[in-house]
Amino acid sequence: SLSYSFKSDKYTHVNLTNHSYWNFNKRKNIKIFNHDLKINANQYLDVNNYLIPTGKINTVNNSINDFRKYLNI
């Protein structure tokens, strides 16, 4: 369970997230590198060099962001 809160005295961007890595192997001495990833998304939000969203929505077609089929990453 995660709980987030945020308060600011000025308008600002905020991205409250968690970057945990989970090992779903039954034997925990096995590394996570054999997991498959699938993301059901046809588009992703473009970001600038500072990882701030630009508002441009890109398609995942023919891009490194296409995880619509299971990939071993």
Side-chain angles (χ1 to χ4, degrees):
S1 172
L2 298 172
S3 177
Y4 296 101
S5 65
F6 173 78
K7 186 175 181 180
S8 176
D9 62 348
K10 296 191 170 59
Y11 288 109
T12 186
H13 291 282
V14 63
N15 182 10
L16 304 176
T17 189
N18 182 286
H19 294 283
S20 294
Y21 294 95
W22 303 95
N23 186 349
F24 295 113
N25 290 306
K26 291 180 182 177
R27 292 181 18 225
K28 297 305 176 192
N29 62 336
I30 298 174
K31 304 285 185 198
I32 67 167
F33 302 117
N34 66 339
H35 291 340
D36 293 326
L37 174 68
K38 181 179 179 182
I39 301 174
N40 293 319
N42 295 318
Q43 300 170 318
Y44 66 96
L45 189 59
D46 190 47
V47 295
N48 67 17
N49 291 339
Y50 299 101
L51 302 179
I52 303 297
T54 66
K56 180 180 177 189
I57 298 174
N58 297 314
T59 179
V60 298
N61 293 339
N62 301 315
S63 77
I64 62 170
N65 298 308
D66 191 352
F67 294 98
R68 293 174 292 179
K69 295 181 183 175
Y70 282 104
L71 293 173
N72 189 278
I73 57 168

